[in-house]
Amino acid sequence: NAGVTQTPKFQVLKTGQSMTLQCAQDMNHNSMYWYRQDPGMGLRLIYYSASEGTTDKGEVPNGYNVSRLNKREFSLRLESAAPSQTSVYFCASFRDPGGEAFFGQGTRLTVV
Amino acid sequence: GNSVTQMEGPVTLSEEAFLTINCTYTATGYPSLFWYVQYPGEGLQLLLKATKADDKGSNKGFEATYRKETTSFHLEKGSVQVSDSAVYFCALGRGAAGNKLTFGGGTRVLVKP
């Protein structure tokens, strides 16, 4: 059982470049989330999708867009990368009800 | 809004020592409380949870009790092992679809043999 799979694991971008982070889950969960993790700040919610076809902003959405392609896949796009977006990005899916989150292994992104 | 405050690390311990990581929260209503653990190079995974006041969550020798009167959810383990070295995150959330977790800043724990 793969759980939550994220690609790529590592990426270096130049300022202004664009990229899409991919996430897929095989647990048939409705809810999927994108977080960023920065030192000393815990995880902050970027965007979430409560169900297929819906997306909503989280705490730090500026500079990002998302697509819930189907129930399995939830992608995060950086249209014009900035150094402030250097971070570790985690995708998660939630088992409803109960609230247990299952996380991918993360994408370490560096913007130079 | 919701917030979670946990003690800053790193916490360095010897094997078999007692571990406590403090966590307090601010929230309206009755959130669920969670502890997640992140081992090096991996994503977060659920360690334990409690869904109502006075509930005790437990797993792998770790325990935490949901204290509404002190708005706390402190994590404890009586005898740590080297394999417990990780970053621990306290979090709160609400049930039903669209549950959004609010995380504390994380506490790094290093257990030395």
Side-chain angles (χ1 to χ4, degrees), chain A residues 16-89:
Chain A
Q17 286 185 319
S18 63
M19 78 163 295
T20 300
L21 282 65
Q22 307 286 353
C23 176
Q25 52 95 6
D26 60 3
M27 295 171 283
N28 202 37
H29 291 162
N30 287 318
S31 303
M32 296 185 73
Y33 295 71
W34 277 104
Y35 289 90
R36 59 178 288 172
Q37 181 181 26
D38 301 295
M41 300 187 73
L43 277 74
R44 292 182 293 169
L45 182 63
I46 305 171
Y47 270 94
Y48 68 100
S49 170
S51 62
E52 184 180 352
T54 68
T55 61
D56 287 286
K57 295 178 180 179
E59 184 184 354
V60 288
N62 291 344
Y64 305 96
N65 284 301
V66 291
S67 296
R68 184 72 182 269
L69 304 172
N70 47 55
K71 193 169 187 179
R72 290 189 64 247
E73 298 173 290
F74 188 40
S75 62
L76 178 72
R77 183 161 179 83
L78 287 70
E79 291 291 352
S80 179
S84 61
Q85 295 178 305
T86 294
S87 187
V88 181
Y89 292 84

Side-chain angles (χ1 to χ4, degrees), chain A residues 31 33 35 37 40-45 48 50 57 90 94-106, chain B residues 32 34 36 38 41-46 49 51 87 89 94-106:
Chain A
S31 303
Y33 295 71
Y35 289 90
Q37 181 181 26
M41 300 187 73
L43 277 74
R44 292 182 293 169
L45 182 63
Y48 68 100
K57 295 178 180 179
F90 286 100
F94 276 73
R95 181 167 62 198
D96 296 322
E100 179 177 354
F102 295 82
F103 285 82
Q105 289 201 321
Chain B
S32 295
F34 305 84
Y36 282 83
Q38 184 180 30
E42 298 185 9
L44 281 71
Q45 54 187 276
L46 180 67
K49 70 177 183 181
T51 58
V87 181
F89 292 91
R94 302 193 179 277
N99 187 29
K100 298 185 291 294
L101 290 174
T102 300
F103 287 89

Side-chain angles (χ1 to χ4, degrees), chain B residues 4-8 11 19-25 35 71-76 88-90 104 106-107:
Chain B
V4 176
T5 302
Q6 60 181 107
M7 60 190 291
E8 292 189 20
V11 175
L19 171 67
T20 299
I21 303 176
N22 291 337
C23 171
T24 57
Y25 68 91
W35 277 100
T71 61
S72 65
F73 192 55
H74 304 323
L75 182 68
E76 297 180 336
Y88 294 82
F89 292 91
C90 185
T107 301

Side-chain angles (χ1 to χ4, degrees), chain A residues 37 90 104-106 108, chain B residues 35-47 59-60 62 75 77 81-89 107-109 111:
Chain A
Q37 181 181 26
F90 286 100
Q105 289 201 321
R108 185 174 295 275
Chain B
W35 277 100
Y36 282 83
V37 59
Q38 184 180 30
Y39 298 105
E42 298 185 9
L44 281 71
Q45 54 187 276
L46 180 67
L47 180 60
N59 186 26
K60 298 182 180 180
F62 290 90
L75 182 68
K77 185 172 185 181
Q81 305 300 313
V82 172
S83 57
D84 294 323
S85 298
V87 181
Y88 294 82
F89 292 91
T107 301
R108 182 176 299 278
V109 173
V111 181

